[in-house]
């Protein structure tokens, strides 16, 4: 307990007979599915749909279990060769069903009375939204043969380039103080109390990217070329249009949020300038000082055991079921805590609704920020708990709402800590929260600008590393303005963010801003409504897998297409900036 996660709930190793049995079952299911698709008729569509859905449900559970096991093992150890062959086999097997999946979707698209067909069956009636999305997506399908070829080539295309990025960033050696360290460890030093360490770590990080930037540039170019090609072939206006469709989100919602964010950029620049002056810098804040602690913390370094007790205690007052889940996560080895060679950097949560659990990866350092990170990832786990009773094909929520529960958890922990603190400690906590807000608003906006520009340029040209560096610097200057020192930006931010390297998931940046602002709007409603809000919150999270982003928000009485909602959430942050500046100007 309190070290590495346990994956025994999946299998007891690669040689576990249960794994071999599941793989055999998956192969059998796929063969049965392919045969069933070749004999589709409209004689009894309810019976046909139920047979196919039963097969797809069983297949989905098996894939999530097998592929999930492989993915989690590789995240904890990128050099884990035992699961690489199995993952490749699973990917190839599922890619081979692309043609049949398209045939099924086209079959569904031709059922005119589908609502009455779905109502005639208890299981099918739970898939109304699922089938409505299929009906809407039919026009974007390629031919049966093209879908088959595309899926197979993606294994050695987009996915392979993404795997290359993960391998390079997990294994690159960083030269620091005469020793070798990892990229995740050196990035963690950005939060050091020692200004010399922060600057030297930044310089070592920037230097290490020169070892891997060229192959990563090729990976990024290849992935974005594939994304552009797919969007064009499927008849989308552009990759952003494709992403929004997959996100179940209207362009009006994104435009409203970005409009409000741009309006508030000057306020964030005011915060950065003020912090720079407090630290003795006149030309804006250097990049390596973004995470510099302000004020004075109580000096406490948390053990994992103390983090466990702290989070359970603080979540009890909000939602007892959340506190109980967090307790279970710590006690039953859901979490992989500490950094080590080969382990991926950052943090994530993998929901396992078919097992009614989740797994969390983090790189715990003992800081209060590490505790907040745990709270964030366990928010994802709580979200997973809310959707685990859906049918197997109804358990996927989209990018924008994915960060809702995680950010809400952060607000519970940090706001409570701020309320109970005073003096220098309060300043430290407020500024720490402002750091996070600057990341999810200003830095995320720069990443959005970067990816949008890269996708646009990739239609006509190849971008070498120096070109990508220039695009990133221009995006950071546009977003941060004079808030940062232009001579110490981060030209290699594209080299360390895995979000750019997923061929099937573009623009994984704006969802962080969405989650941060949406959760603040929800938190404000919680403060207004008290316990009466909790049932709405649970219902909202549960609905994220079976409705649009806009309809989910309406459960809490929120219209996402109006900039005013986003302005109110941003004003909460602006008020904190004013408080920070006022308090530290005395």
């Amino acid at each position: 307990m309190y070290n590495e996660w346990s994956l025994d709930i999946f299998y007891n190793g690669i040689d576990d007979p249960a794994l071999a049995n599941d793989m055999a079952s998956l192969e059998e299911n796929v063969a049965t599915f392919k045969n069933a698709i070749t004999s589709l008729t409209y004689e009894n569509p309810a019976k046909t749909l139920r047979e196919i859905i039963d097969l797809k449900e069983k297949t989905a559970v098996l894939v999530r279990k097998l592929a999930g096991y492989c993915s989690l093992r590789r995240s904890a150890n990128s050099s884990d060769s035992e699961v690489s062959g199995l993952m490749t086999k699973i990917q190839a097997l599922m890619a081979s069903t692309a043609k049949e999946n398209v045939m099924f979707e086209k079959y569904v698209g031709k059922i005119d009375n589908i609502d009455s067909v779905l109502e005639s069956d208890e299981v099918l009636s739970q898939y109304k939204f699922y089938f409505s999305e299929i009906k809407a997506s039919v026009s974007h399908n390629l031919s049966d043969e093209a879908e088959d070829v595309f899926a197979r080539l993606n294994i050695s295309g987009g996915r392979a380039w993404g795997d290359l990025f993960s391998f390079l960033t997990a294994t690159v050696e960083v030269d620091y103080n005469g020793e070798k360290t990892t990229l995740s460890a050196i990035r963690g030093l950005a939060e050091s109390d020692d200004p010399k360490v922060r600057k030297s770590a930044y310089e070592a990080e920037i230097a290490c990217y020169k070892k891997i930037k060229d192959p990563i540039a090729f990976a990024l170019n290849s992935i974005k070329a594939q994304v552009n090609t797919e969007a064009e072939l499927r008849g989308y206006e552009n990759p952003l249009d494709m992403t929004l469709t997959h996100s179940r989100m209207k362009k009006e919602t994104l435009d409203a949020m970005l409009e409000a964010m741009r309006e508030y950029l000057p306020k964030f620049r005011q915060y950065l300038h003020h912090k720079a002056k407090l630290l003795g810098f006149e030309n804006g804040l250097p990049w390596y000082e973004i995470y510099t602690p302000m004020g004075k913390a109580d000096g406490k370094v948390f053990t994992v055991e103390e983090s466990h007790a702290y989070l359970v205690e603080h979540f009890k007052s909000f939602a007892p079921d959340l506190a109980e889940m967090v307790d279970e996560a710590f006690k039953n080895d859901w979490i992989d805590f500490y950094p080590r060679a080969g382990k991926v950097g950052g943090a994530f949560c993998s929901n396992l609704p078919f097992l009614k659990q989740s797994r969390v990866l983090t790189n715990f350092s003992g800081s209060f920020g590490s505790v907040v990170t745990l709270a964030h990832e366990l928010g994802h786990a709580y979200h997973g708990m809310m959707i685990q009773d859906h049918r197997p094909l109804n358990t996927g929520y989209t990018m924008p709402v994915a960060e809702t529960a995680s950010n809400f958890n952060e607000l519970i922990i940090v706001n409570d800590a701020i309320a109970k603190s005073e003096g220098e400690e309060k300043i430290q906590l407020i500024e720490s929260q402002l750091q996070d807000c600057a990341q999810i608003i200003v830095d995320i906006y720069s990443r959005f600008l970067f990816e949008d520009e890269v996708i646009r340029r990739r239609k006509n040209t190849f971008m070498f590393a120096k070109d990508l560096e220039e695009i990133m610097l221009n995006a950071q200057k546009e977003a941060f303005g004079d808030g940062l020192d232009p001579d110490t930006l981060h030209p290699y931010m594209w080299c360390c963010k895995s979000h750019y390297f997923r061929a099937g998931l573009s623009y994984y940046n704006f969802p962080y801003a969405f989650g941060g602002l949406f959760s603040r709007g929800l938190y404000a409603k919680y403060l207004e409504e008290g316990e009466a809000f909790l049932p709405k919150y649970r219902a909202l999270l549960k609905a994220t897998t079976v409705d649009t982003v806009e309809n989910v928000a309406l459960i809490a009485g929120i219209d996402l297409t109006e900039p005013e909602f986003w302005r109110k959430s941003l004003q909460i942050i602006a008020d904190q900036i004013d408080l920070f500046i006022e308090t530290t100007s005395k």
Side-chain angles (χ1 to χ4, degrees):
M1 191 165 72
Y2 300 141
N3 188 12
E4 298 181 20
W5 55 28
S6 170
L7 301 183
D8 291 347
I9 194 171
F10 289 90
Y11 307 105
N12 293 318
I14 199 73
D15 296 325
D16 189 339
L19 187 152
N21 289 337
D22 281 350
M23 193 64 205
S25 295
L26 178 60
E27 292 171 340
E28 181 181 348
N29 269 24
V30 167
T32 304
F33 172 71
K34 289 181 176 182
N35 289 333
I37 293 299
T38 61
S39 57
L40 292 174
T41 72
Y42 291 94
E43 183 178 342
N44 188 342
K47 180 175 180 294
T48 299
L49 289 179
R50 178 59 187 274
E51 290 175 352
I52 299 300
I53 286 297
D54 286 346
L55 282 169
K56 288 178 77 68
E57 283 188 339
K58 293 174 184 176
T59 300
V61 170
L62 287 167
V63 169
R64 289 170 187 172
K65 188 177 179 183
L66 288 160
Y69 177 69
C70 294
S71 178
L72 291 171
R73 279 189 49 164
R74 290 205 305 191
S75 295
N77 178 10
S78 61
S79 299
D80 188 340
S81 59
E82 280 194 328
V83 298
S84 297
L86 178 60
M87 179 63 94
T88 300
K89 186 176 181 180
I90 295 167
Q91 291 173 346
L93 183 62
M94 297 316 299
S96 74
T97 66
K99 177 180 178 179
E100 286 75 18
N101 279 316
V102 172
M103 292 172 66
F104 175 63
E105 290 176 2
K106 290 178 179 178
Y107 171 84
V108 171
K110 293 179 181 178
I111 302 176
D112 295 327
N113 61 331
I114 193 165
D115 289 338
S116 60
V117 170
L118 299 179
E119 286 292 344
S120 68
D121 184 277
E122 181 182 358
V123 171
L124 294 179
S125 65
Q126 298 177 60
Y127 279 117
K128 287 183 179 180
F129 185 73
Y130 173 83
F131 281 107
S132 72
E133 289 198 298
I134 289 179
K135 294 276 279 188
S137 70
V138 168
S139 62
H140 295 294
N141 287 340
L142 306 178
S143 69
D144 301 346
E145 292 74 16
E147 290 285 0
D148 182 47
V149 171
F150 185 85
R152 291 172 185 268
L153 289 178
N154 185 49
I155 296 172
S156 57
R159 284 184 182 176
W161 287 112
D163 288 343
L164 174 64
F165 163 82
S166 297
F167 178 79
L168 289 171
T169 53
T171 59
V172 64
E173 292 184 334
V174 183
D175 300 303
Y176 184 66
N177 288 342
E179 298 180 352
K180 303 290 185 182
T181 186
T182 64
L183 182 56
S184 61
I186 203 71
R187 284 178 59 79
L189 293 179
E191 299 180 25
S192 171
D193 291 332
D194 188 335
K196 292 182 179 179
V197 170
R198 293 194 297 270
K199 184 177 181 181
S200 61
Y202 162 81
E203 291 170 347
E205 180 193 351
I206 295 297
C208 94
Y209 292 123
K210 296 176 182 178
K211 302 178 183 180
I212 57 176
K213 66 177 184 178
D214 291 325
I216 289 181
F218 272 79
L220 185 60
N221 273 271
S222 300
I223 288 171
K224 296 314 178 188
Q226 179 171 314
V227 168
N228 275 327
T229 299
E230 181 178 4
E232 180 182 354
L233 291 175
R234 295 191 182 282
Y236 290 100
E237 185 177 341
N238 49 49
L240 180 58
D241 178 34
M242 183 166 66
T243 293
L244 289 170
T245 299
H246 294 166
S247 298
R248 304 167 186 158
M249 177 174 166
K250 295 179 180 177
K251 181 67 159 50
E252 293 89 335
T253 295
L254 178 62
D255 289 342
M257 183 182 75
L258 292 178
E259 177 183 337
M261 286 169 57
R262 284 189 288 266
E263 290 173 5
Y264 276 81
L265 287 178
K267 176 60 69 173
F268 285 94
R269 292 165 186 165
Q270 183 184 2
Y271 150 69
L272 293 168
H273 252 299
H274 183 73
K275 182 173 181 176
K277 289 182 178 179
L278 291 174
L279 293 171
F281 298 98
E282 295 297 329
N283 197 32
L285 191 68
W287 188 277
Y288 53 82
E289 298 289 0
I290 288 177
Y291 297 104
T292 299
M294 302 297 295
K296 187 176 180 181
D298 59 9
K300 180 174 178 56
V301 176
F302 287 81
T303 65
V304 171
E305 292 87 345
E306 290 169 335
S307 301
H308 178 182
Y310 184 91
L311 292 176
V312 169
E313 181 62 29
H314 281 73
F315 287 136
K316 276 183 182 177
S317 61
F318 169 63
D321 59 338
L322 171 59
E324 291 170 5
M325 185 217 72
V326 169
D327 190 44
E328 181 183 1
F330 276 90
K331 287 181 177 177
N332 294 338
D333 300 324
W334 291 15
I335 309 171
D336 194 300
F337 290 98
Y338 301 107
R340 58 182 178 272
K343 179 179 175 180
V344 298
F348 69 78
C349 174
S350 177
N351 292 148
L352 312 171
F354 55 95
L355 297 172
K356 297 189 183 301
Q357 294 188 14
S358 291
R359 287 296 179 271
V360 168
L361 179 143
T362 185
N363 284 273
F364 186 81
S365 67
S367 67
F368 181 68
S370 288
V371 179
V372 173
T373 296
L374 280 169
H376 178 103
E377 299 306 334
L378 289 166
H380 287 301
Y382 185 66
H383 196 166
M385 188 170 78
M386 291 299 103
I387 55 93
Q388 68 187 15
D389 291 330
H390 279 307
R391 304 293 307 184
L393 304 181
N394 279 343
T395 56
Y397 47 76
T398 63
M399 293 192 303
V401 292
E403 297 299 328
T404 303
S406 54
N407 281 288
F408 197 100
N409 266 18
E410 282 195 40
L411 290 169
I412 292 172
I413 296 301
V414 177
N415 286 354
D416 181 75
I418 290 173
K420 293 178 179 177
S421 64
E422 57 185 21
E424 289 291 308
E425 184 183 355
K426 183 181 286 288
I427 290 174
Q428 189 273 332
L429 290 170
I430 291 174
E431 202 279 325
S432 177
Q433 195 172 55
L434 291 178
Q435 286 181 32
D436 293 338
C437 291
Q439 288 299 296
I440 64 171
I441 302 301
V442 192
D443 189 44
I444 284 298
Y445 184 55
S446 74
R447 293 190 224 169
F448 175 84
L449 293 174
F450 171 82
E451 185 164 11
D452 204 48
E453 180 71 4
V454 168
I455 286 175
R456 184 186 65 79
R457 287 201 198 182
R458 191 62 187 98
K459 292 180 180 179
N460 301 307
T461 188
F462 181 93
M463 292 155 287
F464 290 95
K466 63 180 179 60
D467 303 311
L468 295 170
E469 292 167 34
E470 180 184 6
I471 296 170
M472 179 57 79
L473 289 174
N474 288 338
Q476 288 172 355
K477 290 174 183 177
E478 182 174 345
F480 287 95
D482 61 359
L484 293 184
D485 182 345
D487 295 326
T488 58
L489 298 176
H490 198 310
Y492 299 111
M493 188 57 68
W494 53 275
C495 278
C496 62
K497 294 298 177 183
S498 62
H499 308 76
Y500 296 128
F501 296 87
R502 303 180 186 183
L505 191 62
S506 302
Y507 290 97
Y508 200 175
N509 33 61
F510 71 78
Y512 283 95
F514 182 104
L517 296 176
F518 186 44
S519 61
R520 277 169 173 75
L522 291 174
Y523 189 77
K525 284 187 171 289
Y526 163 60
L527 295 179
E528 293 172 5
E529 301 176 13
E531 290 186 9
F533 171 79
L534 193 53
K536 295 179 186 176
Y537 181 61
R538 293 190 181 109
L540 180 151
L541 292 177
K542 185 173 183 177
T544 55
T545 61
V546 291
D547 214 333
T548 65
V549 167
E550 289 76 20
N551 286 343
V552 164
L554 287 175
I555 295 174
I558 295 169
D559 183 354
L560 297 177
T561 64
E562 291 296 327
E564 189 57 31
F565 166 74
W566 304 105
R567 292 185 184 116
K568 288 180 179 178
S569 293
L570 283 158
Q571 188 58 45
I572 294 172
I573 305 171
D575 291 341
Q576 279 190 310
I577 291 174
D578 289 337
L579 177 61
F580 170 69
I581 292 175
E582 178 185 354
T583 304
T584 55
S585 296
K586 296 177 181 178

